[in-house]
Amino acid sequence: MQEDELDCDNVRLVAEVNEDLTKLLNYKVYKRRWFILLVICILNSSNAMLWLSFAPVADQTAKYFELSLDQVNWLSLIFLVVAIPVGFGTTWMLDTLGLRTSLILSSWLNMTGSILRFLSILDNIPVGLRNYPLLMAGQTLCALAQPLVLLSPTKLAAIWFPENQRATANMIASMSNPLGILFANIFSPMIVGSKEKIPQLLGIYTIPAAIVCLLATVGIRNRVPPTPPSNSALASSSEPFLAGVKLLVRNKPYMILLTCFGAGIGIFTSFSTLLQQILCVKGYSNDLAGLCGALFVVFGILGAFLLGLYVDRTKKFIEVTKISFCLAALASIAFAVVSQMRIQGIAVAVVSSLFGMFGFAIYPISMELAVECSYPIGEATSAGLIFISGQIQGIIFIMLFQLLTKKLADDPQYTCALSWKVPTLVMAAFCSAGACLFVIFFHTEYKRLKEEAVATNSQAIEQNNGIDNEAEPELLQA
């Protein structure tokens, strides 16, 4: 641990010196990076809203489409299933074809999927396609877009932003996804007061998808900036995809991060998907479930924002991640207890807020940490495998938690007929085990920051030598 602290202090001191030296070198930042960041934020939020449109109103969705609870859950679960095979292609696409192509493709998939969802309720659609089949087809297209969207922040931060803004840019872009989850938790219960409002929900969620598709198609014109913002941007994607994967598999710190943080992603995915069903059985309304989901995200964004700024200044990636992971595990234990109590809405809301604050804060920092411990492997590859791990574990957790529920009624469409006591305890156990494993075994050096420090100092020395060589003949003549 002392070695990690010394390493972090050295990197931070060098980074502070390099911030001044970089101004003398041939690196440049462009204002258009903020527009690309805006596009990613809107696209990320839109995709998250489409993903969890039905989770806060699972009971009304089941009644409107005449579905079982399992069928409603598959509207969200399809995102996790599709992400596993598509994730590998996504990492290759981002590192090979570039950010622009990936964002435009994902925006069109996202918009087309949202339109198909809306078309599923129209009466003039053939009976074989109407309702659930076309609705699932739309969800599948949106799911195809999700890996491209979620893996874009690390790539954007690496090739468009300077070293002292990377963690903040990654945080803003990454937290736009939980912001979309927040909107879904707020607006879905507000819009769907009864099952007859489901068509209105589908129409409203199509609007942001269409807007961001237009912005991405027309506004993003460059694959990379004309001049890189940092030395590491020049080396971005320096390792071929398959060679990079082989190196990552042999990288012990990265594999620990992939396992533990992937489990965290899976737990948070299952929590967002199943929250309404967990609270419903204890008599809590959809409005309270939506509020808890909203607080879960709002405090998560707040925590990520504050820690992102802190990490950008101090470079203490490891310390911040370990502390946050432990606090998130404690919050998961508290949720497992209070969620099984009746008439404790305030306690449930507070615990959900703390779970989000400590858990969501890990996401952007861990993605940056993945790049640091795996450099010079491409950012999309290192972040992509963690994303795929999270989706795989998310599927396992959701299916496992559903299997561990206990029936309280025979009606399969009655969503409040299952006891979630055992699943919530198992969720807390997984979260605690992941935190312990990460705190004890994860240690790494910051490879990208060290490489940038060496490169910046070398270029500064070369420029100083050039100036001295030019000045020497003039002194001799004098």
Side-chain angles (χ1 to χ4, degrees):
M1 192 66 183
Q2 292 180 347
E3 293 180 359
D4 290 340
E5 292 177 356
L6 291 173
D7 182 55
C8 179
D9 291 338
N10 291 334
V11 169
R12 185 169 69 254
L13 289 172
V14 174
E16 291 173 355
V17 175
N18 286 347
E19 189 172 344
D20 295 327
L21 290 176
T22 301
K23 297 177 182 178
L24 303 174
L25 305 178
N26 297 321
Y27 301 140
K28 185 178 180 181
V29 293
Y30 298 85
K31 291 182 179 179
R32 75 189 76 168
R33 71 189 188 278
W34 298 110
F35 174 78
I36 301 174
L37 177 60
L38 174 65
V39 170
I40 291 180
C41 288
I42 299 175
L43 182 56
N44 222 336
S45 295
S46 171
N47 189 260
M49 290 168 64
L50 296 172
W51 169 33
L52 292 177
S53 304
F54 309 109
V57 288
D59 51 350
Q60 301 297 342
T61 303
K63 292 176 183 177
Y64 181 84
F65 289 105
E66 298 181 353
L67 304 173
S68 67
L69 178 61
D70 288 340
Q71 287 175 306
V72 174
N73 286 338
W74 269 103
L75 294 172
S76 300
L77 202 60
I78 189 65
F79 277 71
L80 311 187
V81 174
V82 168
I84 297 170
V86 173
F88 291 101
T90 297
T91 57
W92 171 86
M93 179 177 291
L94 275 166
D95 281 336
T96 306
L97 301 181
L99 186 64
R100 178 179 181 271
T101 301
S102 301
L103 287 178
I104 293 175
L105 175 60
S106 61
S107 67
W108 277 94
L109 287 170
N110 195 60
M111 182 185 71
T112 305
S114 67
I115 293 174
L116 286 182
R117 285 163 29 117
F118 181 74
L119 293 178
S120 68
I121 59 162
L122 300 182
D123 293 333
N124 53 353
I125 298 296
V127 177
L129 296 176
R130 192 186 309 163
N131 292 338
Y132 194 67
L134 197 56
L135 181 65
M136 180 60 77
Q139 288 290 96
T140 303
L141 284 182
C142 296
L144 289 172
Q146 190 186 57
L148 288 167
V149 177
L150 292 182
L151 299 183
S152 296
T154 50
K155 193 69 176 178
L156 171 72
I159 64 177
W160 281 94
F161 284 82
E163 176 269 333
N164 63 323
Q165 295 179 355
R166 277 199 302 252
T168 301
N170 199 345
M171 177 273 299
I172 294 173
S174 298
M175 287 300 99
S176 59
N177 181 265
L179 186 64
I181 297 175
L182 166 66
F183 291 152
N185 278 287
I186 293 176
F187 295 135
S188 289
M190 286 177 58
I191 297 169
V192 185
S194 62
K195 66 178 184 178
E196 289 76 16
K197 297 292 185 179
I198 291 291
Q200 187 176 346
L201 173 76
L202 298 176
I204 291 174
Y205 283 4
T206 302
I207 297 173
I211 292 174
V212 73
C213 183
L214 177 64
L215 292 175
T217 305
V218 176
I220 302 178
R221 299 182 179 181
N222 299 96
R223 176 183 173 184
V224 295
T227 304
S230 65
N231 178 74
S232 63
L234 291 170
S236 180
S237 309
S238 59
E239 289 288 344
F241 174 70
L242 292 179
V245 172
K246 292 178 182 178
L247 290 174
L248 289 176
V249 172
R250 295 195 294 266
N251 187 327
K252 180 182 175 181
Y254 178 82
M255 293 306 296
I256 294 173
L257 184 64
L258 178 140
T259 302
C260 298
F261 182 52
I265 295 175
I267 288 172
F268 274 69
T269 299
S270 59
F271 181 87
S272 301
T273 302
L274 302 172
L275 179 60
Q276 185 269 340
Q277 300 166 43
I278 293 173
L279 298 180
C280 178
V281 70
K282 293 300 179 180
Y284 296 112
S285 66
N286 284 359
D287 289 337
L288 179 66
L291 175 62
C292 290
L295 292 172
F296 176 70
V297 175
V298 167
F299 279 86
I301 294 173
L302 176 62
F305 175 74
L306 295 176
L307 291 182
L309 294 177
Y310 177 75
V311 168
D312 255 341
R313 295 177 63 88
T314 64
K315 310 303 176 188
K316 292 185 177 180
F317 294 94
I318 296 175
E319 294 87 344
V320 168
T321 305
K322 288 184 176 182
I323 293 172
S324 297
F325 215 143
C326 291
L327 293 175
L330 292 175
S332 70
I333 295 172
F335 178 81
V337 175
V338 300
S339 65
Q340 300 307 307
M341 301 178 180
R342 294 183 181 272
I343 320 176
Q344 296 294 330
I346 295 177
V348 173
V350 170
V351 171
S352 298
S353 303
L354 294 175
F355 196 20
M357 172 174 280
F358 301 128
F360 268 124
I362 301 173
Y363 184 85
I365 299 172
S366 295
M367 285 301 187
E368 285 291 299
L369 189 56
V371 177
E372 291 293 341
C373 73
S374 63
Y375 185 83
I377 296 168
E379 299 83 12
T381 303
S382 58
L385 293 185
I386 291 179
F387 168 75
I388 293 170
S389 170
Q391 302 302 83
I392 293 174
Q393 294 187 66
I395 294 173
I396 294 172
F397 288 149
I398 290 176
M399 297 181 71
L400 174 63
F401 296 156
Q402 288 179 323
L403 288 174
L404 292 175
T405 56
K406 180 181 178 181
K407 287 186 177 181
L408 301 176
D410 294 330
D411 186 358
Q413 290 189 355
Y414 181 51
T415 59
C416 298
L418 298 173
S419 171
W420 290 86
K421 181 178 181 179
V422 173
T424 54
L425 291 173
V426 173
M427 181 189 301
F430 277 122
C431 196
S432 302
C436 292
L437 178 64
F438 184 79
V439 169
I440 295 171
F441 294 106
F442 183 82
H443 305 281
T444 187
E445 60 179 0
Y446 302 145
K447 298 178 181 179
R448 181 173 62 174
L449 287 175
K450 282 190 172 183
E451 178 68 21
E452 286 180 339
V454 172
T456 303
N457 288 332
S458 299
Q459 292 182 37
I461 292 171
E462 290 176 3
Q463 288 196 1
N464 288 333
N465 290 338
I467 294 173
D468 292 341
N469 292 334
E470 292 176 359
E472 186 174 348
E474 295 178 1
L475 292 173
L476 291 174
Q477 290 177 3

